[in-house]
Amino acid sequence: MGSGVPARVTYWTGTWDPTKEAISKEIALLRCGPRASAPLVAFSPAHASRLHLAERVLKLSSRRWVALRAAARLIEPWGDITHVFGGRSSWHLLRAVGRRPVLLTAVLACEDSAELPQIPIARVVVEVDDAVDEWVEAGIPRDRIEVLPPGIDLDRFRPMPAPEGRFTLLFASTPSDPAEIGPRGIDLLVELARQRPDIDVLLPWRQWGDIGRVRAALERLQPPANVLVEHGDVSDMRACYVRAHATVAMFARGRGKACPNFVIEGLACGRPSIMSAEAPLAGTIAGAGAGLAVARDVRALSGAVDQAKERWSGLAAGARALAEQRFDEVRFVQRYEQIYAELKEGPDRGDVSDRP
């Protein structure tokens, strides 16, 4: 590819916490080897503004608009490619950058109210097929949109035998904001457990965001004893997958990550998923026989639990097969390397602006 020198990339995202947060983990997977020192700017209300010089990471509070624009002027010209992770709601980042070809990885479910800033975007990568039309409607030419699912380590996350004992569902996407408890379907899971004392719902509760207010909001739901809330950060999620029969993600439309990390890791471990039919990944999972897509109500969810119990062996095999087909981290990294090279060397670099 041209000179053979790897493209230099600057990374731009919201929350930066590779130990807990799924988008950060994807960036960390790309930001290694020759890009281990690539600059990264994280702009989020969860951050106090701080420069981590050794890690080449600048964290900015979302109140620091002027600092973000200044950082973009200084940092973006260092790279050949500007890689933004987020979605249409990442307008604060997209408006700050644009001095180099912009690659936008749309990892978040589409929010209908979010307007796409009128800046050149050389390429949009989405994680699911169903998201393509949304970006065409937003004005991105179809030939600049690519579907590339996230990648996980398929050797580390391997099929596990069915756990013994009660049928257990795993939800591992705890919010940093109490307002997200309803849209993420946690209230539905609590009510399901109340109506189904024969099953368990496992909720590993990571310690991030507004911990006190989120915890109080959960307690107001008065979870029954078969909602197993375990406060604390999990260093190895395989310890959760080995205890669960299936993952569950009852996100509302436009909420959460398009491909939740715990769902795809679960697939690799042979754990089918029960997902809200409104979730972008639900059709893919149901179509592959790797899980079930259901309406966001307790009755439908309870029926899906019965189906998952009856069909568990077949769904578990379908889950692993889907993970191997779509979510291999080797393929993920290789394709991004190709995209970087295409944007650096190819004739179509997007219409890069003349910003100072």
Side-chain angles (χ1 to χ4, degrees):
M1 297 275 183
S3 65
V5 177
R8 295 186 301 178
V9 183
T10 61
Y11 293 95
W12 306 77
T13 188
T15 301
W16 176 248
D17 190 344
T19 64
K20 301 178 186 178
E21 199 267 336
I23 298 173
S24 300
K25 291 178 181 179
E26 290 183 29
I27 300 172
L29 187 58
L30 298 172
R31 192 173 169 259
C32 60
R35 294 197 182 86
S37 61
L40 182 145
V41 177
F43 187 71
S44 168
H47 294 324
S49 298
R50 184 178 178 185
L51 174 63
H52 301 264
L53 190 58
E55 302 170 24
R56 306 269 285 182
V57 170
L58 174 62
K59 291 183 178 180
L60 291 174
S61 163
S62 58
R63 296 186 298 272
R64 304 295 186 181
W65 296 92
V66 174
L68 175 64
R69 291 194 290 269
R73 290 192 205 98
L74 291 172
I75 295 172
E76 196 180 8
W78 179 91
D80 302 304
I81 310 297
T82 297
H83 194 167
V84 178
F85 278 74
R88 284 168 64 175
S89 59
S90 300
W91 53 269
H92 40 272
L93 291 175
L94 293 172
R95 284 178 177 167
V97 300
R99 298 161 187 82
R100 296 292 184 268
V102 175
L103 167 61
L104 172 63
T105 295
V107 289
L108 302 175
C110 176
E111 298 179 28
D112 292 335
S113 61
E115 295 183 2
L116 188 65
Q118 296 302 308
I119 69 159
I121 296 178
R123 191 80 57 91
V124 172
V125 171
V126 296
E127 297 190 330
V128 292
D129 298 285
D130 290 350
V132 171
D133 289 345
E134 296 170 355
W135 287 93
V136 171
E137 292 172 4
I140 303 297
R142 178 63 184 86
D143 61 359
R144 292 192 183 183
I145 304 171
E146 177 167 341
V147 180
L148 178 55
I152 58 170
D153 187 341
L154 295 176
D155 291 325
R156 183 165 183 260
F157 295 99
R158 298 195 59 80
M160 302 173 174
E164 298 180 359
R166 291 157 58 87
F167 194 83
T168 300
L169 298 175
L170 170 67
F171 177 81
S173 184
T174 50
S176 60
D177 183 340
E180 284 293 304
I181 282 185
R184 294 202 183 201
I186 297 171
D187 53 347
L188 288 173
L189 298 182
V190 169
E191 185 58 30
L192 172 71
R194 189 172 285 119
Q195 295 187 19
R196 293 293 301 265
D198 57 312
I199 69 169
D200 289 333
V201 178
L202 175 61
L203 300 180
W205 208 267
R206 57 188 167 180
Q207 304 302 287
W208 74 324
D210 195 338
I211 297 172
R213 290 180 60 222
V214 174
R215 191 165 183 167
L218 175 65
E219 290 172 354
R220 284 194 293 272
L221 296 176
Q222 299 182 329
N226 58 329
V227 175
L228 311 177
V229 182
E230 299 181 354
H231 293 280
D233 297 328
V234 179
S235 60
D236 188 346
M237 280 297 295
R238 291 175 297 182
C240 293
Y241 302 128
V242 77
R243 298 167 57 189
H245 293 82
T247 62
V248 59
M250 299 302 291
F251 294 132
R253 175 176 171 77
R255 299 304 181 106
K257 193 172 182 290
C259 290
N261 201 58
F262 81 98
V263 170
I264 63 175
E265 288 178 352
L267 295 175
C269 292
R271 298 311 186 238
S273 189
I274 300 174
M275 299 197 76
S276 160
E278 301 174 16
L281 187 60
T284 298
I285 284 182
L292 302 163
V294 299
R296 292 188 80 243
D297 65 70
V298 175
R299 183 175 179 180
L301 182 53
S302 180
V305 168
D306 291 333
Q307 289 188 56
K309 291 172 71 172
E310 293 172 5
R311 300 170 50 195
W312 189 85
S313 294
L315 291 173
R320 176 64 189 187
L322 180 61
E324 292 176 351
Q325 177 188 354
R326 292 184 69 92
F327 301 111
D328 181 1
E329 71 174 15
V330 175
R331 185 163 53 245
F332 172 83
V333 172
Q334 288 177 344
R335 181 54 191 144
Y336 267 113
E337 286 295 332
Q338 293 169 353
I339 293 172
Y340 291 154
E342 290 167 8
L343 292 179
K344 178 188 176 186
E345 307 288 352
D348 181 9
R349 291 167 46 90
D351 301 320
V352 180
S353 71
D354 295 324
R355 294 186 182 192

